[in-house]
Amino acid sequence: EDIAIALHVDPGHEMFQVGERLKETIEERTEGRFTVTLLGTEVGGERDHLEGASIGEYQIALGGSMPMSLYAAPYAASDLPFVFNSSADARRVYEGEIGDAVQESLVTNGNLRLVGLSIRNPRNLTSKVPVLSPDDVSGARLRIPEITPWVEIWSEIGALPSPIAWPEVYTSLQTGVIEMQENPVDFIYNGKLFEVQSHVNQTEHVYSFFHWLMNNGFYEGLSEDDRVLIQAAIDEAIAWGDELVQGNEAKVYDQLVDAGMELTEPDVDAFRAKAEPAIRRVADTFAPEVRDYVLSQID
Amino acid sequence: MIILLALFGTLIVLMIVGVPVGLAMIGASVAVLLSNRGFDNIPYEMLAQRTLYGVNSFTLLAIPAFLLIGRLMNASGISDRVFNVARSLVGHLRGGLGHVNVLSSMIFAGMSGSAVADAGGLGPVQMRAMEKDGYDRGFSAAVTASSATIGPIIPPSIPAVIYGALANTSIAAVFLGSIIPGILMGLSLMALVFIMSHRRGYPVSKRAKLSEIIAAIGAGFLPMMTPVIIIVGILSGIFTPTEASVIAVGYCMIIAFLVYRTISLREFWVICRDTAVDTAALLVIIAGSALYAWVLARYQVTSQIIDFLSGAIESKYLLLFLLMIFVLVIGCFIDSVPALFLLTPILVPLVVSYGIDPVHFGVAMIFNLMIGLVTPPVGTVLFTVQKVANIPYGELVREIMPFYIPLFGMLLAITFIPGLVMFLPNLLLR
Amino acid sequence: MGPMSDVDTLLDPAPPPKSAFWTVVETAMILAFIGMLAVMLIQVVSRYALAIGVPWTDEASRYLYITQIFLGLAVAERYGMNIRVTLVLDMLSTRIRSVIEAIGYLLTIAIAVAVLFGAMRMINQTGNVAASTLPVTMAWLYGVQALGLALYITLLAKDVVATFRRTSSEAHAS
Ligand code: NA
Ligand code: NA
């Protein structure tokens, strides 16, 4: 039987390496009863992959922020900008009773089962001027992904969020259509944004995760032994990947500095204070237990 | 590899029996899925998803915008004004209207993004004038067809927008990189016209007076500013290349409605309808090729091709040469836009792994595919001009043969002299 | 595209007969087309001239585009504008050409039905999956796709009947 894993990242990306490790482990431990096919962006983007896994064309898909906003919106709090201080804080949204509700929601709405979370590097703001306080982004044309809470929070802070498709981001920063963008450092480096931006402002405003999702039909069709075996392989690959990601972060910072970028340490609390009204508005749209947890983070 | 042959074979059979190209690409994909998985296991959802998401791209919005500009310019008489500018400037050379034909196509290229818009819009103006001055119809048609291919090379350009989006490469850089190749292409065609006109003794007209030149340029000045607005707007960061297309639409509408007052609202509605129909006809092909490309990727045919080629070839020049031949063959059979969708995702990772700049490769590939528009058996521009000129297909193909010499010559030049492409992007975008 | 000759139609290239139903479809297509350009314009103007961020423009223009394309697929068929390669068909005698064209129509219908079937399934799957910035579900988008395909299939079915009639009347005449 073949397990198709769809990963919406470049072949060099850490998550692709996690996928490769997963492939090796599964094929080896099941002695070839299962083969694994790794598919990248040539079969589509994130939404395409999730839909594909949802209908069973792919058995496993990697998701960024989308799986939660598409299939479990009342719980999609882990990627809220300026709310959490660490990955550990953000991860609680997937644990305990909330975690069970998340799983149920994903299965009901997306026919997908969350089988693992990979750590991502926190997102930072890049710019052509140093950004230290919310005033520095006031009126700046900022490219962010089309995630409604993100748009709301950044607007509250005073930026002008602009939806620019990722392929046009580099050119748009170069020519000045947009002035700033925000991403994890590995995206900043791989997108060569150091050529068109001068500052990495360490806002670390989003601690999101990569979500590993399995088609629920495939999950339920596995024998108990295979289920345990595959889950163990996933857990091991993810643990290996988390170390890789955290180890690489410092290296990427060095590479960005070598490429001429300056690092700044903005007043993150000031951003959080400015964003608070929007965060409260967004929190009100969540399930009560999630709302309370989010509010406990900013109080 | 078997899958590749099955995909290609089924596609050709379906196209021969008259299935529309876009649907034929879907049909070929379904056939492969059917033979691999059986009737009950066809992923029907994926057929819908790939064809829908294949056109769910902001970048592709440039296509209807540029097609609309072409129609607006033809309906508002801008094509005639452009032709008159070219005539006042080079009409007095030996074989004058041949040169006028090429130059007017070059000017028009700065406003339009599609070769078919050029051939179908400016073509009749060019053909009529040459006929009146006693040129062979075959020669006139050949000049018209070959120069129309400059349209999508000089920016703005639909193929450049598509390539940039698919290759994850700066569209602005591809635009800038195409300017010098486009101008060289025009000059090389004019050189050929010059030689042939001497041999055949084509007429010379009177040199235009300075006052006539000024009058012609004055009449065509506003539309001729379109490329300036587009390039300056992109470089100064006012809008992205995709957004530039809609700005250009707005500008052409202002000229047509407020300045020249040649189009009524009623006519505009019809123009929008025709453009929407053109767009749909083209985008269905893009939707179909998205599914087609997905099947190639799903069965990992693309990665196998890359592995095979990178194992077999060491020199990047040899690779470029072979790829250019490959693209040329594809271009003989498939229209430029679907060919880009088919080839870009396969070839760009390959050339990048050889250290070739994707901007350089893109411009060379687009240039190559434009030649494909005027090569038999399937040449969209050939078909259009054949219809406009009302001559047999075979005669047009025979007459256009000499024009392949400058076209292929320039293709070789820009393939192997990267500086011709990279000079402007390096100068203006670094 | 316009007067492109591999856009050659199998039947009449003349303007299609007037019909209230198709006027509605055509008007919807044209409005989607103009709306799409207008939204792109809003995107540039709002960012640059008014200095406000409008997050929904990218998605809105894409969805209008999709509407225009899939309704346009059917409208294009009415005008005989869908792109086909008729190089080989043109070389055949009228009789053989009619037969092969009929086969072509049937294959086209089969292909379109397969996609339509997939679109219907996707409508069921994505009924509570939201778009990114707009208050619609993805089921609507697949619904537009299904609608365009259904209209297209209806037109093709009519063409098949017409081709068969023509072939059989020719057979009687000879
Ligand atoms: Na052009
Ligand atoms: Na021409």
Side-chain angles (χ1 to χ4, degrees):
Chain A
E1 200 175 346
D2 191 61
I3 301 176
I5 304 181
L7 308 151
H8 68 279
V9 292
D10 293 334
H13 193 275
E14 289 126 344
M15 288 307 115
F16 214 96
Q17 297 176 42
V18 172
E20 279 161 359
R21 207 173 163 89
L22 197 52
K23 174 180 162 73
E24 273 169 36
T25 320
I26 292 178
E27 287 180 349
E28 195 185 293
R29 292 197 192 151
T30 62
E31 289 161 343
R33 275 186 300 115
F34 285 97
T35 55
V36 175
T37 305
L38 296 179
L39 302 164
T41 48
E42 71 277 6
V43 297
E46 184 181 356
R47 190 187 274 272
D48 316 33
H49 288 184
L50 293 172
E51 268 184 17
S54 168
I55 63 164
E57 174 63 24
Y58 317 123
Q59 282 65 44
I60 296 175
L62 181 73
S65 283
M66 259 189 191
M68 294 297 286
S69 60
L70 292 186
Y71 307 118
Y75 309 94
S78 69
D79 66 357
L80 281 186
F82 296 110
V83 169
F84 303 104
N85 276 322
S86 68
S87 271
D89 288 345
R91 192 188 288 265
R92 299 233 171 87
V93 180
Y94 301 94
E95 289 166 353
E97 277 175 30
I98 304 182
D100 296 339
V102 168
Q103 191 69 280
E104 195 187 316
S105 188
L106 288 171
V107 171
T108 314
N109 295 324
N111 193 31
L112 294 168
R113 180 168 286 274
L114 184 62
V115 290
L117 291 171
S118 278
I119 286 180
R120 299 181 77 166
N121 290 324
R123 296 175 84 94
N124 285 317
L125 183 72
T126 67
S127 56
K128 287 176 187 161
V129 291
V131 172
L132 297 169
S133 75
D135 289 346
D136 297 325
V137 300
S138 173
R141 293 185 297 276
L142 164 69
R143 184 267 176 185
I144 51 172
E146 302 171 314
I147 300 172
T148 312
W150 293 20
V151 173
E152 200 157 327
I153 287 170
W154 278 107
S155 301
E156 186 78 50
I157 292 171
L160 301 175
S162 298
I164 300 279
W166 176 247
E168 293 198 12
V169 166
Y170 178 95
T171 311
S172 301
L173 287 168
Q174 185 170 45
T175 58
V177 168
I178 41 172
E179 297 155 298
M180 304 178 181
Q181 67 85 45
E182 50 82 56
N183 257 308
V185 282
D186 48 317
F187 275 74
I188 296 169
Y189 185 76
N190 291 329
K192 297 208 180 96
L193 298 190
F194 49 81
E195 294 175 357
V196 291
Q197 297 271 269
S198 57
H199 289 76
V200 181
N201 308 288
Q202 295 175 284
T203 45
E204 307 201 328
H205 54 279
V206 169
Y207 288 91
S208 55
F209 297 91
F210 278 114
H211 300 73
W212 295 87
L213 296 146
M214 187 181 279
N215 174 272
N216 194 49
F218 175 74
Y219 175 84
E220 288 178 347
L222 287 172
S223 71
E224 185 60 36
D225 289 350
D226 284 339
R227 211 180 275 173
V228 170
L229 189 152
I230 290 175
Q231 186 63 56
I234 292 173
D235 293 344
E236 284 169 38
I238 286 177
W240 175 84
D242 285 353
E243 259 177 55
L244 184 71
V245 170
Q246 286 165 320
N248 281 351
E249 187 182 8
K251 276 188 226 156
V252 179
Y253 270 120
D254 289 345
Q255 285 170 317
L256 287 172
V257 170
D258 287 345
M261 290 194 94
E262 266 181 57
L263 305 183
T264 71
E265 285 183 26
D267 182 356
V268 179
D269 288 333
F271 276 89
R272 179 170 300 146
K274 191 90 192 274
E276 195 182 317
I279 295 174
R280 287 186 182 279
R281 278 198 306 278
V282 172
D284 277 339
T285 65
F286 292 139
E289 33 321 8
V290 179
R291 180 194 59 211
D292 295 346
Y293 180 60
V294 168
L295 294 181
S296 76
Q297 294 291 302
I298 58 167
D299 284 339
Chain B
M1 278 305 143
I2 292 168
I3 286 171
L4 191 66
L5 290 175
L7 268 175
F8 217 71
T10 324
L11 177 66
I12 288 172
V13 171
L14 287 172
M15 291 203 305
I16 284 177
V17 301
V19 176
V21 177
L23 275 290
M25 298 188 96
I26 300 173
S29 313
V30 173
V32 167
L33 293 168
L34 192 69
S35 66
N36 269 277
R37 304 190 187 184
F39 194 78
D40 292 334
N41 293 317
I42 297 178
Y44 291 101
E45 294 92 338
M46 295 307 290
L47 308 184
Q49 194 215 43
R50 293 330 299 157
T51 50
L52 187 77
Y53 286 3
V55 295
N56 183 22
S57 151
F58 185 75
T59 314
L60 292 177
L61 286 159
I63 294 179
F66 285 136
L67 290 176
L68 180 60
I69 294 169
R71 281 192 180 268
L72 278 174
M73 288 199 293
N74 293 331
S76 61
I78 292 175
S79 309
D80 297 275
R81 291 169 192 262
V82 166
F83 188 77
N84 289 336
V85 172
R87 181 174 213 157
S88 74
L89 290 174
V90 293
H92 60 278
L93 300 175
R94 166 79 61 189
L97 283 185
H99 299 288
V100 173
N101 190 327
V102 177
L103 184 62
S104 56
S105 289
M106 288 170 71
I107 300 172
F108 199 80
M111 305 167 222
S112 123
S114 125
V116 176
D118 179 340
L122 195 58
V125 181
Q126 295 166 330
M127 289 296 303
R128 262 199 305 274
M130 289 181 80
E131 175 118 46
K132 224 165 82 189
D133 271 25
Y135 288 82
D136 301 336
R137 206 181 264 195
F139 175 76
S140 310
V143 182
T144 303
S146 54
S147 65
T149 59
I150 301 173
I153 295 177
I154 291 179
S157 154
I158 290 174
V161 169
I162 293 174
Y163 175 83
L166 288 173
N168 232 327
T169 297
S170 162
I171 296 167
V174 182
F175 271 11
L176 289 174
S178 309
I179 294 178
I180 293 175
I183 292 172
L184 288 175
M185 189 175 185
L187 293 178
S188 70
L189 287 175
M190 285 170 91
L192 182 81
V193 167
F194 192 76
I195 295 167
M196 289 180 71
S197 301
H198 265 279
R199 284 214 186 139
R200 298 188 182 184
Y202 284 137
V204 181
S205 348
K206 222 166 64 232
R207 182 188 284 269
K209 291 198 207 81
L210 186 62
S211 62
E212 288 166 341
I213 297 179
I214 292 173
I217 292 182
F221 180 76
L222 283 177
M224 281 165 56
M225 291 311 287
T226 316
V228 178
I229 291 173
I230 291 174
I231 296 292
V232 172
I234 292 173
L235 290 181
S236 62
I238 300 173
F239 36 72
T240 68
T242 311
E243 291 166 351
S245 63
V246 74
I247 297 296
V249 167
Y251 181 69
C252 284
M253 280 174 63
I254 291 172
I255 297 176
F257 279 112
L258 301 180
V259 184
Y260 295 163
R261 295 166 188 260
T262 36
I263 298 182
S264 67
L265 271 179
R266 170 89 215 132
E267 282 165 326
F268 179 68
W269 182 259
V270 174
I271 289 172
C272 283
R273 182 197 70 197
D274 292 346
T275 311
V277 168
D278 289 348
T279 305
L282 186 59
L283 269 286
V284 168
I285 298 183
I286 294 178
S289 39
L291 176 65
Y292 199 82
W294 179 79
V295 172
L296 283 174
R298 185 69 183 84
Y299 291 101
Q300 301 192 300
V301 178
T302 33
S303 45
Q304 284 167 18
I305 293 177
I306 292 178
D307 289 349
F308 171 76
L309 282 178
S310 42
I313 300 169
E314 266 176 43
S315 150
K316 77 174 179 186
Y317 295 104
L318 179 62
L319 179 84
L320 268 177
F321 185 73
L322 293 177
L323 287 184
M324 283 301 137
I325 291 177
F326 178 58
V327 172
L328 199 65
V329 172
I330 296 280
C332 284
F333 293 95
I334 302 182
D335 194 64
S336 58
V337 169
L340 275 173
F341 268 82
L342 208 58
L343 297 174
T344 310
I346 313 178
L347 299 185
V348 168
L350 181 66
V351 297
V352 168
S353 73
Y354 278 78
I356 298 164
D357 193 301
V359 173
H360 170 222
F361 180 72
V363 173
M365 178 158 78
I366 292 168
F367 197 107
N368 192 329
L369 289 172
M370 290 309 111
I371 297 178
L373 296 178
V374 291
T375 54
V378 180
T380 317
V381 168
L382 279 188
F383 293 139
T384 310
V385 170
Q386 181 215 347
K387 212 169 219 184
V388 169
N390 195 18
I391 57 169
Y393 187 66
E395 186 186 334
L396 177 55
V397 171
R398 204 168 46 246
E399 285 287 338
I400 208 167
M401 291 288 176
F403 290 85
Y404 294 149
I405 300 169
L407 291 180
F408 285 127
M410 291 318 304
L411 176 61
L412 281 177
I414 64 166
T415 304
F416 293 107
I417 312 174
L420 293 178
V421 175
M422 298 309 296
F423 176 72
L424 283 179
N426 285 342
L427 185 71
L428 295 170
L429 283 176
R430 293 293 171 223
Chain C
M1 300 303 99
M4 206 156 88
S5 105
D6 54 352
V7 175
D8 244 316
T9 164
L10 301 175
L11 294 170
D12 267 315
K18 287 222 177 330
S19 109
F21 175 76
W22 281 102
T23 307
V24 173
V25 176
E26 213 176 284
T27 306
M29 174 193 76
I30 299 171
L31 289 178
F33 178 83
I34 295 173
M36 155 189 96
L37 295 174
V39 170
M40 282 172 82
L41 204 62
I42 292 173
Q43 173 161 323
V44 181
V45 172
S46 67
R47 184 181 59 232
Y48 214 79
L50 308 177
I52 45 170
V54 186
W56 49 266
T57 49
D58 182 296
E59 198 172 41
S61 57
R62 280 186 282 118
Y63 290 0
L64 287 167
Y65 195 23
I66 287 171
T67 308
Q68 188 253 285
I69 292 166
F70 283 97
L71 293 181
L73 166 68
V75 177
E77 186 62 22
R78 251 168 76 77
Y79 286 89
M81 292 293 285
N82 276 317
I83 299 172
R84 305 162 65 231
V85 179
T86 55
L87 207 63
V88 177
L89 287 176
D90 289 342
M91 293 189 290
L92 304 172
S93 72
T94 323
R95 264 299 276 292
I96 301 177
R97 181 179 172 142
S98 299
V99 174
I100 294 189
E101 279 184 338
I103 296 172
Y105 275 128
L106 290 174
L107 284 169
T108 310
I109 291 176
I111 294 164
V113 166
V115 184
L116 173 61
F117 186 55
M120 310 279 271
R121 284 194 179 181
M122 285 311 279
I123 293 173
N124 278 332
Q125 291 268 345
T126 58
N128 44 18
V129 181
S132 299
T133 58
L134 299 175
V136 294
T137 63
M138 297 308 280
W140 280 95
L141 213 52
Y142 284 106
V144 169
Q145 183 187 33
L147 175 66
L149 286 163
L151 291 171
Y152 178 59
I153 292 166
T154 317
L155 288 172
L156 289 173
K158 272 193 195 159
D159 288 349
V160 175
V161 174
T163 312
F164 273 121
R165 286 227 178 101
R166 210 175 45 208
T167 319
S168 61
S169 68
E170 271 162 16
H172 282 294
S174 58

